[in-house]
Every structure is written in structure tokens, then in C-alpha cells.
Amino acid sequence: MTVLLGDLCRTALPLVAMVFARVGSADLTVRATLEQDPEPVAMLLGAPAVKSLGLDVDEMRDRFGAERVGRPRVPSLVLRFRDGPSRPDATGWDRLRPVVDYLGRDALERLTGRDLGAGRTPQEEQHRAP
């Protein structure tokens, strides 16, 4: 997965990318039962995002295990949240939340132009109110 995201950064300047996966049947059939929600597997912070957010590549590596990819002078970062089937002690969501908290939800919203408010607490909503 990180190889594909790294290759993308060598040929283009992506902003942000997320990879999600859902555990399913080996035969790829869809059952008539409630399926598990998709879970984050990896996040790419492209060179424009790294620069705009003022990220220190070494600090991101030390804090979150981020991998430096892309061009040497304009680095991008890949963060892996899941290496295989979900484990009860650390889901992809459990690994993504601290990254979003560190980067700042408002900063990510400004960067992507998207409202990420689906998981906001009432206190965060009140803080956002004009």
C-alpha cells in the first residue's frame, strides 16, 4: 500500500489521500447481513499538505511512524493505520484519531475544503460557532 502511495508522490503532487478497507468474505460475495464499517488503512499527506501544515517530517516519523515518500526536496508522508485484519487493541480509527488531533481538524478542513464534523463532540461544535 505504501509503495503505491509513494509512487504517486514521485509522479504527481497529491494533497491528501485516504485508503479504507472493509473485512469481507474471501469469495467476495455480499451477505444479507450488516457488514463491518470501513476502517482506515493508510493516509497520504502530499508535499503541498506537509508544507501547508508546517509539518516536521522527522517529528511525524517519531510520533506516528510516518514514512517519508516522494521527491527528496518536497517530501510527502504516508501513515499506516492497519497492517492486517483489525485487532481489538488498536483499530485503524484508534490510530487515525491522534493524527487528526495533532494536525488539527480545523487545519485539515481548511486544507481540504471539507467539513469533517461527523465525529465532532458538542464542545468542538460550540468552539466552531461564530
Side-chain angles (χ1 to χ4, degrees):
M1 184 65 54
T2 57
V3 172
L4 295 174
L5 293 173
D7 286 347
L8 176 63
C9 293
R10 281 189 281 283
T11 59
L13 286 174
L15 184 60
V16 176
M18 289 289 299
V19 178
F20 290 86
R22 176 181 283 139
V23 176
S25 301
D27 62 4
L28 302 179
T29 58
V30 178
R31 308 270 189 256
T33 59
L34 185 62
E35 294 183 5
Q36 177 181 351
D37 287 335
E39 190 172 319
V41 174
M43 177 184 205
L44 167 69
L45 294 169
V50 170
K51 182 178 180 181
S52 177
L53 294 169
L55 300 178
D56 181 311
V57 174
D58 293 329
E59 182 180 354
M60 292 295 290
R61 182 195 62 228
D62 295 342
R63 185 179 286 244
F64 300 111
E67 179 183 345
R68 182 185 182 133
V69 296
R71 303 171 191 171
R73 290 184 12 193
V74 285
S76 299
L77 296 170
V78 172
L79 297 103
R80 297 190 323 168
F81 304 123
R82 206 178 103 192
D83 296 324
S86 293
R87 297 184 329 219
D89 62 327
T91 68
W93 291 109
D94 293 335
R95 294 178 182 168
L96 173 62
R97 282 185 193 101
V99 173
V100 171
D101 290 344
Y102 177 78
L103 299 175
R105 186 185 305 260
D106 288 342
L108 288 172
E109 287 180 345
R110 282 191 303 276
L111 183 68
T112 61
R114 296 285 183 190
D115 181 4
L116 305 174
R120 273 201 187 96
T121 65
Q123 293 82 10
E124 288 175 315
E125 280 297 332
Q126 184 178 22
H127 179 67
R128 277 181 57 89

